[in-house]
Amino acid sequence: MNIVYHARVIKAVAVRDFKIRITYIPWIMNSLLQPIAWTLILVYAYRSIMGPGSSEALAAHGWAGDPVGFLILGQVLLSLFNALNWRAGMAIQRERWYGTLELILQAPASRIAVLAGSSLFGLVDAGWASFLSALAVIALTGATFNVADPLAAVASILLAAVGALSMGIGLAGLYVLTRSAGPIAVAIQHPTRFFTGSSFPLTILPAVLQYVGYAIPLTYGLEAVRRTMLQGAGLGDVGPLLYRLLLLSIASTMLGVAMVRWAEGVARRNGWLHTF
Amino acid sequence: MYTIEAEGLEKEYRIGLLSKRRVKALRGVSLRIQKGTLYSLLGPNGAGKTTLVKILATLLIPDAGWARVAGFDVAREAVEVRKRVGVVLGGERALYWRLTGWSNLWFFSQLYGIPPAEARRRIRELIELVGLQGWEHVRVENYSKGMKQRLHIARGLLNDPEVLLLDEPTIGLDPAAAREVRGLIRRIVAEGRTVLLTTHYMAEAEELSDRVGIISGGRIIAEGSPGEVKKIIGGRMVLVSLTGPPGEASRLAALLGARARSIDRVTTIEAVVEDEEEFIDKVLGEALRRGLRVRRVEVREPSLEEAFIKLTGGPR
Amino acid sequence: MGGYTPSKLQVLRASLSAYARDVLALYSAWGFILVRLSVPVFMVATAWALSKIASPSGLVASLGYVDYVGYVALGFAFFTMLTTTLFEVGERIHREMVQGTLETVLLTPASRLAWLIGGALGSLMISMADVALVTVYYVTLFRGEVHLGGAPYALAGLLLSLAGMTGMGIALAGIVVNLKEPHAFNVMLTPFLMLLSGMMFPVEALPGPVEAVSRLIPVTHGIEVVRSSLLQGEPAIHLLGILALEAIAYTVVGYTVFRLLEARARRLGGLGSF
Ligand SMILES: Nc1ncnc2c1ncn2[C@@H]1O[C@H](COP(=O)(O)OP(=O)(O)O)[C@@H](O)[C@H]1O
Ligand SMILES: [Mg+2]
């Protein structure tokens, strides 16, 4: 009974998010066009700083050849994160904007199920947009991929998505604590782009900055997806990456859920539910 | 058997995280509401009505005191309470404007774990009950205020609650829409539900309630049936209409501590008093002295509004 | 009762003070300050990371720009400044629509242009702060060198492209009056403007037809003038003429488009329909 109930809540939240989403057509176009433009900007930036053919400096960091595939995969996963940042991360803030937060919390439904519903929709919504925009860039630039172990590639993509999702939930725990969640959600996209190495090989950065990157689940997902899809790596090669990714994701999810619960308690004691 | 019971509820708000400013919203509220009755909580803005409703709805945890709703403690058994109460917090927001009325109700029905087939039937019934047939598949952003409020009430009834908490359900509605909502509330009580209604409209409380509590400054200062509440203050309402030198009648009212209202050249002095004969004598004597002419004298039961003004020391 | 038409100066002053109020309300939230600071920091930092894989045979280097960080820092700063102007004009109109004051503003016939330009001037001040910020990052963190001798040319280029962008902004305002989601429109447009403006790479790298389109946007030439003046010390003076022509053309076209689209919104009841 309980499982069915939770499943219904998850579904209802996801369907609601979908129904609201399709009333914002400009934003849907936006989620398709933005990644295309960003990838193209980086592709042209790479081409015009590297000169004809490949760059030895880039090869020295382990990514010989045309960087297009490298950049596309970076952008796909970054878009996935950005969408989940807005869906899962901002799920509570969004109810606050709609004025429905108190009604949601007044219902006996599990808060985790509600969060999961928003996350699920975010995953699907961002997934198809990222995929289509990646296809568009591939068509425009002619990127090539090298997959030797499809299973490893699929596993990497799935776990990378899990990593992005866990970050969204982790951020939800941060966003409930502040009224400036909107601007922070915007601001956080830029350090994420930088530190996960979505636009360049992370090894370019000095060690101190790399540590920041390796504290982020998405960084491992990105690395694993690129290795399996561009360099033909197998499960054995990316196993350690996926393992760490999973651990970090679990930690981030648990932290986010704990924070959301704690914040709800504080808000109920202090009367901040409608304002906080 | 009481469906809502509260004892010594206190709640203090801190304004901001760091600020030392505090607002005492409830200062020991006790309340008993019998099953299947409508209880109106009447009070001016800032009296603590919403705070009380939110505590009963499990949205706020009281600092002191306890409350049981439908047999469960609101702080310790919040989930059980949530299953059994419906809440309508006033206001235009708190609905998904981009969704239809039906989708809004469907979404919340699922949060309450209502099986799909039953939910569909229930939503159809509720849409009929609140009179939104023909509008259920229109986006809420196109609803009028009154329609949104009725949708709110339908939402509050989704889980077939034993207890319905209505926080100022008619606020901001035009008279016709407010009348519709009041009719709806009457039907809900007739179904055997227990309703707690907050309002600052006296006529509303007088018209709908089995019992009325008057709340002011975080305390319930009077309680009883609408008739009893009027009796608690004892007195009678006296109205004396006067004509004569401009301003004289108002000065007379001020002297007697009564209210004065002027229409055209007739000024009516009104007051709720313990001894109406003494008061009338006083008015007539003074009126003669000041050259005022008495047009009409009326003595009647005070309305709840008048009782309310006397109890809370005038409207804020 | 006699009608009262405020002078352009009065409208300008009023709209500037209204603007200042908006800005203060916006920036009192520390979250917004965070956004304002983080975007330029990471933009420049990304350029710095990319500069590590730059090769001397690359297009940027062959155009005479030795330092890619400076190339992007200046490009980004001025890009922001110019596009902020563009969007502020459009968004201000949307704000007035939401507040229900748009019709009041538009009903005073003499004031429309003054009001629109007032908005652009306001946003200019904020963008100036952005430029200063990026320059400070660049000079302190990356020890970049700037040819101050080229500053007058850079300023001229900047002002001309600002005029052009204001013209475009007015046209955009016409579109916004007909839309309910101006913000989505702006967010959508920004990456494409970035792509076409040559903010991160020379537009010569784009395919021929796309490059031609990019040169029609005042930002592109504006950034080129600023870069050549400040980074190379050899201002691309010939571009100033083109920029001036673009500025005039966009202002005329922008205002005409705005009037047409505004009339359309009025006909369809789009104004004040919020
Ligand atoms: N979340 C809150 N934070 C701080 N003060 C509050 C909060 N909610 C209500 N108050 C204050 O508590 C008092 C009671 O408010 P409320 O319960 O909303 O009264 P009512 O509903 O009768 O108008 C008021 O003085 C109000 O300003
Ligand atoms: Mg209230």
Side-chain angles (χ1 to χ4, degrees), chain B residues 49-50 167-168 198:
Chain B
K49 302 183 296 292
T50 301
D167 193 21
E168 311 220 22
T198 79

Side-chain angles (χ1 to χ4, degrees), chain B residues 186-211:
Chain B
R186 228 177 273 117
R187 254 172 289 155
I188 291 166
V189 182
E191 288 176 352
R193 296 180 212 279
T194 310
V195 177
L196 171 66
L197 168 93
T198 79
T199 179
H200 61 250
Y201 300 122
M202 326 303 149
E204 190 165 290
E206 199 167 4
E207 179 189 335
L208 291 171
S209 334
D210 299 296
R211 283 178 80 77

Side-chain angles (χ1 to χ4, degrees), chain A residues 24 26-27 29-30 33-34 37 40-41 44-46 48-52 55 57-58 183-184 187 190-191 194-195 200 204-206, chain C residues 31 35 38-39 42 45-46 48-50 52-55 57-60 68 181 183-184 187 191-192 194-195 201-202 205 207:
Chain A
Y24 292 92
W27 289 103
M29 311 242 304
N30 195 6
L33 295 176
Q34 279 244 31
L40 288 178
I41 289 172
Y44 283 112
Y46 265 78
S48 52
I49 54 173
M50 286 187 344
S55 151
L58 192 59
I184 296 177
H190 303 281
F194 183 78
F195 286 114
F200 50 79
I204 285 181
L205 296 182
Chain C
V35 177
S38 87
V39 178
F42 287 104
T46 301
W48 168 70
L50 293 194
K52 304 278 179 193
I53 50 171
S55 112
S57 63
L59 181 58
V60 176
Y68 186 61
E181 303 277 345
H183 195 64
V187 173
F192 286 94
M194 259 187 201
L195 181 67
F201 58 86

